[in-house]
Amino acid sequence: MVHISKVIHMVSQSTYKRIPVSPSTWEKLSLIKKPGETFDQLILDLVAERERRDIIRHAMHVSEEGEYVSLDEAREAWGLNED
């Protein structure tokens, strides 16, 4: 017997959403998609790359304009113990 929560989980995993894109965007995605790669995998890779770029951009901004404190000062300010 299959538990109802497993059925719901399986159904939710197989549900897809449509994302409308222009023909030129579809063509660009098709050109960078690797053989055998799904558009879902391609989009996940593009999202991960964007997240990495955003983290790097943020780190660069902090390094240029940020105010630095020692680790001990940060622990004290956040009320963290070394335990």
Side-chain angles (χ1 to χ4, degrees), residues 66-82:
E67 184 177 322
Y68 297 95
V69 296
S70 71
L71 186 55
D72 290 335
E73 290 171 311
R75 281 188 183 124
E76 184 179 323
W78 292 332
L80 301 175
N81 297 325
E82 290 187 38

Side-chain angles (χ1 to χ4, degrees), residues 56-68:
I56 291 169
R57 215 178 263 150
H58 177 71
M60 290 174 65
H61 174 76
V62 169
S63 73
E64 292 169 359
E65 300 182 21
E67 184 177 322
Y68 297 95

Side-chain angles (χ1 to χ4, degrees), residues 3-45:
H3 194 273
I4 189 69
S5 66
K6 287 185 181 181
V7 172
I8 292 171
H9 183 69
M10 288 188 299
V11 169
S12 67
Q13 283 184 334
S14 64
T15 302
Y16 291 92
K17 302 287 184 185
R18 293 184 181 266
I19 303 173
V21 296
S22 68
S24 64
T25 300
W26 178 264
E27 186 66 31
K28 288 176 184 179
L29 288 170
S30 296
L31 289 172
I32 64 172
K33 189 170 87 55
K34 298 171 187 161
E37 182 178 35
T38 66
F39 280 98
D40 189 62
Q41 291 166 329
L42 172 62
I43 292 169
L44 284 173
D45 286 347

